[in-house]
């Protein structure tokens, strides 16, 4: 069997931003990456859905504040209709409503627009591989929100499953501290692939849907 060509290996990305001055240079810069092919640029959510329907698309790089259909509603529809398409948010907004709204709608990554090209390309690759990437500011906001919410509750949250392994508890604790997959791997001296396996297992066992929920569970369980 012949090896796949370079073109076949490229990640197919849609760039969504209502400002042409942002959208077009961003698409051009990403196109310089050897493994990313920008297949469409969209000015609003309806154009994103049209581009994905025409597909195939692997990742949508999504602005949040767009006319006609905003990024959160677009992410929600993509998650429902095209669950194989990963969404990475790239926005100037890092408030609680934006972060929790986007992650709750199904976004796998959340970056602010001070992220560099390497950060963005890394997040796109991670999202395509099923991993979550949050920039440091977003992680800090999630931690602060989760701790404040937990402090207001009168009792403990749901107990962690008894079949979580010690390593899975360690990984959950480090997620609760705000570490990304790479940071967890470095702390535990294991590969990022192994970290991803542990995360998938503990999410399945504990019924955790996304990284924001994992942070809350870690804090509720006293791990963070």
């Amino acid at each position: 069997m012949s090896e796949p060509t370079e073109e076949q290996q490229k990640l197919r990305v849609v760039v969504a931003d209502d400002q042409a001055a942002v959208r077009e240079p961003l698409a051009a810069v990403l196109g310089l990456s050897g493994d990313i092919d920008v297949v469409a640029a969209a000015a609003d959510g309806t154009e994103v859905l049209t581009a994905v329907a025409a597909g195939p698309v692997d990742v949508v790089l999504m602005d949040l504040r767009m006319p006609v259909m905003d990024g959160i509603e677009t992410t929600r529809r993509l998650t429902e209709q095209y669950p194989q398409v990963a969404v990475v948010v790239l926005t100037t907004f890092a408030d609680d409503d934006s972060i929790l709204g986007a992650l709750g709608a199904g976004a796998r990554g959340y970056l602010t627009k001070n992220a560099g090209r390497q950060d963005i390309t890394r997040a796109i690759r991670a999202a395509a591989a099923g991993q979550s990437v949050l920039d440091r500011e977003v992680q800090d906001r999630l931690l602060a929100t989760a701790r404040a919410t937990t402090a207001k509750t009168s009792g403990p949250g749901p107990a962690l499953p008894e079949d979580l392994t010690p390593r899975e508890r360690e990984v959950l604790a480090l997620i609760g501290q705000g570490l990304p997959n790479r940071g967890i791997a470095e702390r535990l001296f294991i590969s990022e692939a192994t970290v991803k396996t542990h995360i998938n297992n503990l999410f399945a066992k504990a019924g955790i849907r996304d990284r924001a929920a994992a942070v809350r569970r870690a804090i509720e369980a006293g791990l963070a």
Side-chain angles (χ1 to χ4, degrees):
M1 183 179 295
S2 61
E3 292 295 323
T5 66
E6 179 181 350
E7 191 67 28
Q8 289 172 326
Q9 293 174 338
K10 287 186 176 182
L11 294 175
R12 296 156 297 205
V13 175
V14 172
V15 173
D17 195 295
D18 65 325
Q19 299 181 43
V22 174
R23 182 177 68 246
E24 293 173 3
L26 182 57
V29 167
L30 291 177
L32 298 175
S33 301
D35 60 343
I36 292 176
D37 181 19
V38 177
V39 296
D44 59 59
T46 59
E47 292 185 8
V48 171
L49 294 176
T50 298
V52 172
V57 173
D58 299 305
V59 180
V60 176
L61 190 62
M62 184 84 71
D63 187 23
L64 289 186
R65 307 294 170 88
M66 297 185 294
V68 185
M69 184 186 298
D70 66 21
I72 291 177
E73 178 59 25
T74 306
T75 299
R76 184 176 295 110
R77 295 196 186 190
L78 286 174
T79 300
E80 293 173 352
Q81 299 174 25
Y82 305 96
Q84 76 280 9
V85 177
V87 174
V88 174
V89 170
L90 180 65
T91 180
T92 57
F93 301 96
D95 58 280
D96 292 350
D97 288 344
S98 297
I99 295 169
L100 295 176
L103 296 178
R108 290 188 194 164
Y110 198 112
L111 303 175
T112 54
K113 285 185 177 176
N114 58 5
R117 189 185 80 173
Q118 289 186 340
D119 296 323
I120 296 171
T121 55
R122 187 182 302 119
I124 288 172
R125 293 171 188 134
Q131 301 175 19
S132 296
V133 174
L134 310 175
D135 73 16
R136 189 70 209 184
E137 181 181 358
V138 173
Q139 292 177 33
D140 290 344
R141 290 301 297 261
L142 280 176
L143 286 169
T145 300
R147 286 179 175 136
T149 301
T150 302
K152 293 177 182 177
T153 61
S154 57
L160 294 175
E162 293 182 0
D163 60 345
L164 281 188
T165 67
R167 181 63 91 187
E168 289 163 359
R169 287 177 178 271
E170 284 184 294
V171 170
L172 180 58
L174 294 174
I175 291 175
Q177 294 172 27
L179 270 67
N181 286 6
R182 175 175 293 183
I184 294 172
E186 291 173 351
R187 182 74 63 86
L188 299 179
F189 301 103
I190 58 178
S191 70
E192 286 190 62
T194 301
V195 170
K196 180 184 174 184
T197 297
H198 288 314
I199 290 175
N200 289 340
N201 290 340
L202 75 89
F203 276 26
K205 290 177 182 178
I208 297 173
R209 183 176 181 272
D210 54 38
R211 213 170 185 97
V215 170
R216 290 194 293 270
R217 289 294 293 277
I219 293 171
E220 291 168 352
L223 299 177

